[in-house]
Amino acid sequence: AQTVTQSQPEMSVQEAETVTLSCTYDTSESDYYLFWYKQPPSRQMILVIRQEAYKQQNATENRFSVNFQKAAKSFSLKISDSQLGDAAMYFCAHGTSYGKLTFGQGTILTVHP
Amino acid sequence: NAGVTQTPKFQVLKTGQSMTLQCAQDMNHEYMSWYRQDPGMGLRLIHYSVGAGITDQGEVPNGYNVSRSTTEDFPLRLLSAAPSQTSVYFCASSPRGGYSNQPQHFGDGTRLSIL
């Protein structure tokens, strides 16, 4: 079984600053993916970034990047140049075969102008 | 493309009533799944399917039934609704093809309240 833990229920950042959201996981799988999803008040689940566990290089998507530490089972999300539109709930998730995802509890990100 | 379509968007039921949450996707995805989202607990997997005629239980399957008669549709049935099933329900789909195709496409969710 997999578990995903997000230890920061809430985080805040000033507009244009950088913020890092933490995530740790436990897994018995040898092949898996890790994801960060964004959920704005509209309730949509929006994929922010994904990381293949077999890749050592950290994934990046524009202002979003991850710090993947496989041995430590850590997968943090860094948001650079934060924007007001980044305010949302962020979920870390572990993915296995057949499209099954295990989610963390979520981190609410507030962006102050 | 419509992507993943869930109906209804909102529903209020009385304890003991039954209902079906509908989920349809038009992307020819083989994998489909249902999650529930409760406050402070993130999303939890209820049931999933790897293709027409094949379903299996997830983390919290009790009180829910599913079937997959076609690739496109994956309905979730509540046979006798209980207040503990008050939640937001998400349907998701993804294509077969290895881990490179893992990204899930989510529906917009159904908010279900059981009185």
Side-chain angles (χ1 to χ4, degrees), chain A:
Chain A
Q2 288 70 237
T3 60
V4 177
T5 302
Q6 294 177 247
S7 59
Q8 305 156 318
E10 298 181 21
M11 291 286 285
S12 64
V13 64
Q14 291 293 131
E15 196 175 6
E17 297 293 308
T18 295
V19 64
T20 298
L21 307 185
S22 300
C23 173
T24 58
Y25 65 94
D26 196 13
T27 184
S28 56
E29 302 286 331
S30 56
D31 291 323
Y32 56 92
Y33 268 47
L34 297 166
F35 304 87
W36 280 97
Y37 280 91
K38 172 185 177 182
Q39 187 179 46
S42 66
R43 211 170 60 197
Q44 280 184 294
M45 293 294 289
I46 301 167
L47 179 65
V48 174
I49 198 167
R50 65 172 173 166
Q51 173 78 42
E52 296 92 328
Y54 64 88
K55 288 187 177 180
Q56 292 185 342
Q57 185 174 5
N58 289 327
T60 61
E61 287 287 343
N62 300 316
R63 298 182 295 108
F64 299 89
S65 61
V66 299
N67 184 4
F68 174 45
Q69 302 290 327
K70 190 172 183 178
K73 295 182 179 176
S74 171
F75 183 62
S76 60
L77 175 69
K78 185 171 80 171
I79 305 175
S80 304
D81 186 25
S82 296
Q83 301 176 359
L84 295 178
D86 294 334
M89 174 78 87
Y90 286 81
F91 290 101
C92 177
H94 172 288
T96 62
S97 56
Y98 310 129
K100 294 164 59 180
L101 293 173
T102 301
F103 287 85
Q105 303 91 325
T107 297
I108 299 172
L109 178 65
T110 301
V111 181
H112 298 289

Side-chain angles (χ1 to χ4, degrees), chain B residues 27-102:
Chain B
M27 298 170 283
N28 202 32
H29 285 174
E30 294 193 310
Y31 301 158
M32 296 186 73
S33 49
W34 276 101
Y35 296 85
R36 60 178 287 175
Q37 182 178 18
D38 301 306
M41 298 188 71
L43 282 74
R44 292 181 293 169
L45 182 65
I46 305 171
H47 285 285
Y48 67 99
S49 170
V50 299
I54 306 171
T55 64
D56 205 348
Q57 296 180 351
E59 180 185 355
V60 287
N62 292 340
Y64 307 96
N65 282 346
V66 292
S67 60
R68 184 101 178 266
S69 57
T70 67
T71 299
E72 295 77 19
D73 299 300
F74 190 43
L76 179 72
R77 298 182 183 85
L78 285 71
L79 297 181
S80 178
S84 61
Q85 294 177 304
T86 293
S87 189
V88 178
Y89 291 84
F90 287 94
C91 180
S93 73
S94 60
R96 181 193 294 269
Y99 290 95
S100 61
N101 285 326
Q102 273 288 315

